[in-house]
Amino acid sequence: MSKKPTAQPALHKVIMVGSGGVGKSALTLQFMYDEFVEDYEPTKADSYRKKILLDGEDVQIDILDTAGQEDYAAIRDNYFRSGEGFLCIFSITEDESFQATQEFREQILRVKNDENIPFLLVGNKSDLEDRRKVSFQEASERAKQWGVPYVETSAKTREHVDKVFYDLMREIRARKMEENKTNNGRGKDKSKKKKLKCTIL
Amino acid sequence: MDFDSPDVMKDFPGLYASELNKQCNNDSDYSDENEKAMKKDLIGKRKEKKDKDKGYAALEGESSADENFKSRSPSKTKKAKSFKFSTKTKEKRDKSREKEKDGDKKKDRDKKNDKKLDKEKGKNEKTKKLKQSLDETADIGDILPIFGASIEVAVERSRCHDGVDIPLPVRECIDYVETIGISFESVYKISGTKSKVLQIRKMYNQRGNINLSDYDTPTITSLLKTYLRDLPEPVFTNDLLIRFEEAGAILNLNTREKHLKILVDNLPPYNKLLLAWLITHLHNVSLNEKFNKMSKQNLSTALNHTFHCSSRLLHALLHHCPALFPNTRIERYVPPLESGAKLPEHPVEIDRELKKQESLLTQIHKEMNVCCISKQREELLWEVQRIITQLKRKLKSANKDKEVVEKVEVVEEKEEVKEESQEPSDTHQKKQNLSSVPECQCEDISPVDIEECDVNTESVLDNTLALLQLKNDGLHSLRDSLLKDIQEERNQILMLKSQLTPEMPPVMMIPNENLDEVMDLFLKENQILQIKKINLVRQIIEEQEMCIELKAQIISKS
């Protein structure tokens, strides 16, 4: 702990995915600047950084807001590799966007090759209860099946907006600590292996 | 990073080069020809070199990177054979290449060049491969080199993000010589340290951060020469080189200039631009002959090998430089801002910076689509994206501010106009026949005024008539003065605008930090002043109207 204040605060990289118009940018902007943007403008890709206090620890969060439209899929994929945690967002008022989460999940797993990647399923637009098309139950079941938490948010009312980001960051942090432990063990092996390779060469 | 191919490369570094060739050759077995093609290229170069050597036997070649592989090029018999056919076959090859501009071919060609480099480096290769496996990523310098790639490809891989499409290393070398090395005695004649040149070249190929000012002038000029010599074909292109030489040999200066001009215009755009910058730069160097002792003649003898042409041609180009490239101006390159730097405030600057950042982003994405990139590069991707997002937000808010300011201005002008247009209607409301009303600017209103005024004429008392006439005169003079003011202000706006445009570029050159703060302050101050001004103008006009009314009343009463 004594080292931490002097060192650069930990940086967690979060990527927002989901179909077009589900509110990825709205959630991001609400989290970043406490503002709610009513007019819809498709995102190509946007990136933000914010310093926050996570359980008493200074951390930085990098948020990448990706394009929902398939036109920009190539750009989006380039970022997946460097993402450490994912918020997979759909709109509870649109069933199609919920169905699309399956594909996003698969794509992320394919790139990251890791079942336990920090990941949250997020049902946005919870303020539009009267237009709900995806039941809480249905979404929770899918989340359970994937082994990830499910949270409903409203970018408009700011309900659970901070929660999803903070929860995800906690998962990322836990994951990193775990990795560090195993790496300390493995690290030596790796370097040995490499050294061996060199001598063979 | 968990992709298959890099792993393979990591585990079997020896297979790496050929593996890559295969990867990139999916559709053609071009790789088999790589060797031959490469040899031909080398032969071509040697041929030219030999020709030149006849004329300039005394010229000793500068020490350079590719000297090595030149000496390793095929035997003389082979050279003689292919020499006769080389032009034809090469032409064919080049044409087919030009036609197929898709990425695979380019990669192919570069793989070839890459091989060339590898061969040349020989011993370094093993350590390089070793490093690769340590980095856990394929080395971008091997897959997508800049040195040795065709001009077009090199531009794509290392852009100057300000829209000048010449390869970054060339631009930075030129910048260096223009600012630091221009007075250096025997610049471009003295060779730099070879190991350093190779080191910088490697750094460029690996997209590292390079600070050229850490090196001395000879090293930088040697680097530029290395770049040019590494080119797969001369800047003049294989097709046009002979015609260039012919044109350069014409004795009549006017005809020579005409011919050269035509040939320059026939070059592919990237070649033309590169040549324009190089010749303009060298021309600048020759203008400082007093200090650097490098006349046009000296420069052309020092550099003809580098350009793969005769010194006569180079001298001719330098001689006709102003006529051949009248629009080329050497502009110092300001790279995209890094994170942490203060972002510009002015919309024009923001827009310019945004374009740079977007160009950089596109380039990184392209690199990523071809191969794994280093962790730092990946970090840069997020960083650039972040800057772009910030800039876009700034631009949006700046545009909003601008709209507000513009609206205020429009409102101001409208109000002034309104007051003018109100004058006649005011007088009209008082049922007054006013012969002067039709003079009013507001033509829509005035005809109506006349009619209605005419109807009312007879029922008007002399007393009020006099009063209103006085008032009207006063208002008219007020209108005139206001109109004058508006005209003056418009002129001033035009003048300021014309001043603003030429002044912008130098403003860009100043480090942004202080400037931005000052700009910000000024903009805010400006807005406040504007609002104050509008209020004051309104007050003044109201008071002036009051005065006129009072005056009129006083006069009529007396």
Side-chain angles (χ1 to χ4, degrees):
Chain A
M1 284 298 279
S2 57
K3 269 184 186 174
K4 267 173 189 169
T6 50
Q8 186 82 5
L11 176 65
H12 304 311
K13 286 194 161 85
V14 172
I15 296 184
M16 318 282 291
V17 297
S19 318
V22 298
K24 294 180 294 297
S25 305
L27 279 172
T28 312
L29 290 173
Q30 183 61 271
F31 178 73
M32 283 296 299
Y33 308 110
D34 298 314
E35 62 184 38
F36 179 62
V37 191
E38 198 90 41
D39 29 314
Y40 176 58
E41 198 184 312
T43 310
K44 194 172 166 193
D46 277 317
S47 169
Y48 306 85
R49 174 172 289 178
K50 193 180 185 182
K51 272 183 195 163
I52 54 163
L53 206 62
L54 182 68
D55 306 329
E57 185 194 350
D58 273 326
V59 295
Q60 283 191 89
I61 178 170
D62 263 7
I63 305 170
L64 188 91
D65 182 15
T66 62
Q69 281 68 25
E70 276 307 302
D71 317 3
Y72 302 123
I75 294 170
R76 187 178 59 208
D77 294 354
N78 279 339
Y79 288 103
F80 276 15
R81 268 183 274 171
S82 45
E84 293 164 339
F86 294 82
L87 290 180
C88 186
I89 298 140
F90 68 92
S91 162
I92 62 159
T93 66
E94 194 198 338
D95 190 55
E96 262 175 51
S97 72
F98 178 61
Q99 298 313 324
T101 56
Q102 186 75 47
E103 206 171 303
F104 281 109
R105 168 86 180 165
E106 278 163 19
Q107 203 179 352
I108 290 162
L109 292 188
R110 209 163 36 234
V111 174
K112 299 301 288 187
N113 200 15
D114 177 2
E115 286 275 344
N116 299 320
I117 184 84
F119 187 105
L120 254 73
L121 184 63
V122 179
N124 192 30
K125 307 195 186 178
S126 66
D127 53 295
L128 301 174
E129 191 57 49
D130 50 330
R131 280 160 56 190
R132 182 189 277 276
K133 296 272 161 57
V134 184
S135 73
F136 190 88
Q137 175 106 30
E138 195 182 352
S140 309
E141 262 167 31
R142 176 169 289 184
K144 202 175 167 191
Q145 194 190 323
W146 291 346
V148 304
Y150 172 63
V151 185
E152 291 201 342
T153 58
S154 164
K156 194 172 181 182
T157 66
R158 209 165 205 280
E159 189 196 14
H160 289 156
V161 170
D162 280 346
K163 181 184 161 61
V164 286
F165 285 99
Y166 279 81
D167 282 359
L168 185 65
M169 271 185 287
R170 287 193 188 99
E171 278 202 37
I172 297 173
R173 190 181 51 184
R175 190 68 205 282
K176 278 180 181 167
M177 273 152 81
E178 205 177 291
E179 263 172 19
N180 271 344
K181 269 184 202 166
T182 48
N183 265 2
N184 284 343
R186 270 187 216 161
K188 282 170 193 169
D189 292 347
K190 264 189 184 173
S191 59
K192 267 182 194 168
K193 269 184 191 171
K194 263 170 200 164
K195 267 181 191 169
L196 261 175
K197 266 186 207 164
C198 302
T199 46
I200 288 167
L201 266 172
Chain B
M1 266 149 295
D2 299 324
F3 281 14
D4 297 344
S5 40
D7 280 333
V8 173
M9 287 164 201
K10 201 166 59 189
D11 293 330
F12 308 100
L15 287 176
Y16 170 58
S18 54
E19 186 70 29
L20 271 166
N21 269 329
K22 275 176 202 164
Q23 273 175 14
C24 301
N25 280 328
N26 306 325
D27 47 354
S28 70
D29 48 357
Y30 203 80
S31 62
D32 297 312
E33 287 171 19
N34 278 352
E35 288 272 340
K36 282 183 211 163
M38 182 188 81
K39 280 173 188 169
K40 273 178 197 163
D41 255 0
L42 295 177
I43 292 154
K45 277 179 193 166
R46 282 202 83 174
K47 173 200 83 188
E48 286 149 22
K49 200 179 174 188
K50 225 198 161 190
D51 287 351
K52 274 168 250 143
D53 282 350
K54 278 175 197 164
Y56 304 93
L59 242 171
E60 69 268 33
E62 300 94 343
S63 68
S64 88
D66 52 356
E67 210 87 312
N68 281 346
F69 66 77
K70 267 185 185 164
S71 59
R72 276 187 210 179
S73 58
S75 65
K76 279 184 182 179
T77 46
K78 263 187 182 175
K79 181 182 73 191
K81 249 186 202 172
S82 52
F83 170 62
K84 278 174 190 169
F85 303 103
S86 66
T87 43
K88 265 192 185 176
T89 48
K90 245 191 233 166
E91 262 172 29
K92 268 186 197 168
R93 187 157 46 86
D94 286 326
K95 270 176 194 167
S96 67
R97 270 182 194 170
E98 272 164 38
K99 274 177 202 164
E100 295 161 286
K101 278 190 174 169
D102 53 324
D104 284 355
K105 286 285 170 190
K106 275 177 205 159
K107 267 176 248 155
D108 246 71
R109 219 191 308 180
D110 298 314
K111 217 57 28 67
K112 177 194 79 192
N113 294 313
D114 184 36
K115 261 192 178 176
K116 199 155 66 183
L117 297 185
D118 279 353
K119 265 191 183 177
E120 164 200 331
K121 281 181 184 170
K123 282 174 199 168
N124 294 342
E125 196 171 336
K126 273 183 189 172
T127 51
K128 218 174 166 185
K129 291 277 135 66
L130 209 154
K131 218 183 170 187
Q132 250 171 44
S133 58
L134 285 176
D135 285 349
E136 297 196 18
T137 49
D139 188 26
I140 192 163
D142 288 341
I143 302 172
L144 307 171
I146 294 158
F147 282 67
S150 73
I151 298 169
E152 198 183 336
V153 173
V155 168
E156 205 171 278
R157 287 179 186 170
S158 76
R159 266 181 201 290
C160 301
H161 299 291
D162 60 353
V164 177
D165 285 336
I166 64 173
L168 183 66
V170 176
R171 181 82 178 273
E172 292 191 328
C173 285
I174 290 177
D175 274 351
Y176 180 100
V177 177
E178 289 271 340
T179 50
I180 300 172
I182 197 101
S183 321
F184 186 88
E185 198 175 317
S186 301
V187 61
Y188 282 110
K189 201 172 183 180
I190 297 176
S191 297
T193 322
K194 200 165 149 188
S195 60
K196 278 186 192 164
V197 174
L198 290 178
Q199 187 194 347
I200 309 174
R201 177 171 76 172
K202 196 178 164 193
M203 286 199 294
Y204 268 118
N205 280 341
Q206 293 177 334
R207 320 293 197 266
N209 280 333
I210 302 140
N211 190 4
L212 288 188
S213 55
D214 294 343
Y215 300 89
D216 57 355
T217 305
T219 305
I220 302 305
T221 54
S222 289
L223 181 72
L224 181 56
K225 288 199 265 186
T226 306
Y227 172 81
L228 291 170
R229 245 174 309 187
D230 280 356
L231 281 175
E233 67 170 357
V235 193
F236 307 102
T237 70
N238 287 325
D239 289 351
L240 291 178
L241 181 59
I242 298 166
R243 288 176 60 198
F244 262 104
E245 288 290 358
E246 283 166 2
I250 296 170
L251 288 176
N252 182 309
L253 288 184
N254 284 336
T255 346
R256 189 169 77 179
E257 187 179 299
K258 250 186 232 162
H259 277 79
L260 283 174
K261 180 87 187 149
I262 292 166
L263 285 170
V264 164
D265 287 336
N266 273 327
L267 281 173
Y270 289 104
N271 295 53
K272 187 182 167 184
L273 190 67
L274 182 63
L275 188 66
W277 273 67
L278 288 167
I279 297 297
T280 309
H281 163 61
L282 291 174
H283 187 255
N284 285 348
V285 171
S286 74
L287 293 179
N288 287 275
E289 184 187 343
K290 224 197 270 176
F291 308 105
N292 57 36
K293 306 268 190 302
M294 292 302 280
S295 61
K296 291 189 183 79
Q297 191 57 57
N298 285 346
L299 278 171
S300 32
T301 29
L303 288 167
N304 62 345
H305 280 204
T306 309
F307 278 84
H308 305 293
C309 70
S310 70
S311 80
R312 186 171 52 193
L313 170 59
L314 204 52
H315 186 261
L317 287 168
L318 285 172
H319 182 82
H320 299 297
C321 173
L324 292 176
F325 311 108
N327 301 320
T328 307
R329 215 152 277 124
I330 306 286
E331 233 173 82
R332 198 176 162 76
Y333 177 55
V334 184
L337 292 175
E338 288 169 25
S339 88
K342 187 109 177 26
L343 298 177
E345 296 290 341
H346 195 278
V348 180
E349 282 177 75
I350 296 175
D351 202 47
R352 194 173 307 187
E353 187 58 38
L354 196 59
K355 279 194 184 121
K356 277 189 196 175
Q357 297 284 353
E358 273 173 348
S359 160
L360 175 58
L361 190 72
T362 317
Q363 192 176 301
I364 303 174
H365 274 300
K366 267 185 193 157
E367 285 166 20
M368 279 191 95
N369 289 336
V370 177
C371 65
C372 281
I373 60 172
S374 68
K375 255 254 146 45
Q376 288 160 328
R377 205 80 178 151
E378 218 167 74
E379 213 47 59
L380 188 66
L381 186 70
W382 283 66
E383 191 181 303
V384 173
Q385 186 72 68
R386 205 161 53 237
I387 294 174
I388 288 178
T389 303
Q390 276 173 300
L391 285 172
K392 275 186 184 163
R393 277 180 71 85
K394 274 204 161 184
L395 199 61
K396 249 189 207 168
S397 65
N399 281 342
K400 267 183 196 165
D401 287 351
K402 207 177 153 196
E403 271 169 30
V404 170
V405 171
E406 270 172 5
K407 263 184 196 165
V408 169
E409 274 173 3
V410 168
V411 166
E412 185 194 351
E413 279 199 4
K414 264 187 190 165
E415 264 168 25
E416 284 181 22
V417 173
K418 241 191 213 166
E419 264 152 34
E420 291 149 25
S421 58
Q422 268 168 7
E423 290 155 23
S425 52
D426 277 350
T427 49
H428 151 74
Q429 274 165 11
K430 285 169 185 154
K431 296 174 186 174
Q432 184 52 261
N433 177 20
L434 298 169
S435 54
S436 51
V437 166
E439 283 173 35
C440 170
Q441 257 203 336
C442 319
E443 286 160 9
D444 295 344
I445 300 169
S446 46
V448 182
D449 277 0
I450 303 165
E451 276 176 26
E452 291 186 17
C453 286
D454 281 343
V455 174
N456 296 323
T457 320
E458 279 145 16
S459 63
V460 168
L461 296 166
D462 284 354
N463 188 8
T464 45
L465 179 101
L467 172 76
L468 288 172
Q469 215 152 22
L470 281 170
K471 232 170 144 183
N472 194 53
D473 286 347
L475 286 169
H476 266 283
S477 62
L478 177 63
R479 187 202 67 183
D480 288 340
S481 72
L482 282 173
L483 274 177
K484 235 185 237 169
D485 287 350
I486 290 173
Q487 195 53 47
E488 256 174 32
E489 283 207 335
R490 277 190 186 142
N491 286 340
Q492 212 161 13
I493 288 169
L494 276 179
M495 208 179 71
L496 285 173
K497 267 185 188 162
S498 64
Q499 274 179 355
L500 208 65
T501 27
E503 259 174 35
M504 284 322 281
V507 167
M508 308 276 120
M509 306 298 285
I510 301 168
N512 284 315
E513 287 162 41
N514 292 330
L515 191 77
D516 286 340
E517 281 175 17
V518 174
M519 275 268 270
D520 209 23
L521 271 176
F522 276 146
L523 278 176
K524 276 177 190 162
E525 234 173 50
N526 230 350
Q527 268 182 331
I528 294 165
L529 285 176
Q530 199 108 33
I531 291 162
K532 275 186 185 167
K533 194 190 104 184
I534 291 163
N535 288 337
L536 279 175
V537 166
R538 246 178 243 159
Q539 273 177 17
I540 290 170
I541 291 168
E542 273 166 18
E543 275 171 10
Q544 274 175 332
E545 274 182 309
M546 291 276 285
C547 282
I548 289 163
E549 204 161 338
L550 282 172
K551 262 185 203 167
Q553 277 174 6
I554 290 165
I555 291 168
S556 70
K557 273 179 186 171
S558 64

